[in-house]
Amino acid sequence: MLFADDLSLPSNEHANLQTILNNLRVYAEKKSLTVNTQKSEVMCFNSNSEILPPLYFDGVMLPYTDSFKYLGMGCDKQINLNTAADAAATSPIHGRYVQSQRVCSET
């Protein structure tokens, strides 16, 4: 059986999110799951900084994004609800996932 799922990993601190990502790597390995880092992104909400610290999953640096669509809800890094309304009027193909991992497994 092949399946895929999306996972959002919220955190208020960079170091805490890196710890969560490290724990996810260990969990995924134990459960024989694969995390697709090419489809994984990070968003930092309401940040005033243009220079954000890197986050890694299994040695791969995850890219930051300014907007995403998750479970049908569009959002931007300023939590602008107009972005949600605009996203609802567009094709779901344009959505991106933030602070999320694409987890796949074959059983």
Side-chain angles (χ1 to χ4, degrees):
M1 172 185 284
L2 177 66
F3 69 93
D5 204 1
D6 299 318
L7 175 65
S8 180
L9 304 171
S11 178
N12 289 328
E13 300 288 331
H14 169 267
N16 291 345
L17 183 54
Q18 185 61 64
T19 299
I20 292 169
L21 289 166
N22 295 342
N23 291 342
L24 176 62
R25 185 193 58 74
V26 171
Y27 177 82
E29 187 175 306
K30 284 181 185 178
K31 298 294 184 178
S32 299
L33 298 172
T34 301
V35 174
N36 188 339
T37 56
Q38 293 178 341
K39 293 184 178 180
S40 300
E41 296 178 303
V42 178
M43 178 178 283
C44 186
F45 290 98
N46 292 323
S47 175
N48 294 327
S49 176
E50 291 297 319
I51 302 172
L52 298 171
L55 288 160
Y56 296 90
F57 185 86
D58 200 20
V60 176
M61 188 168 70
L62 302 176
Y64 281 89
T65 186
D66 290 338
S67 65
F68 71 97
K69 190 172 183 181
Y70 185 70
L71 298 177
M73 175 72 168
C75 198
D76 66 15
K77 67 180 183 176
Q78 301 303 322
I79 311 176
N80 182 348
L81 294 179
N82 289 333
T83 301
D86 293 343
T90 63
S91 168
I93 294 172
H94 298 291
R96 285 194 262 167
Y97 299 97
V98 59
Q99 285 182 319
S100 70
Q101 305 294 318
R102 184 68 54 129
V103 182
C104 300
S105 176
E106 281 190 34
T107 56

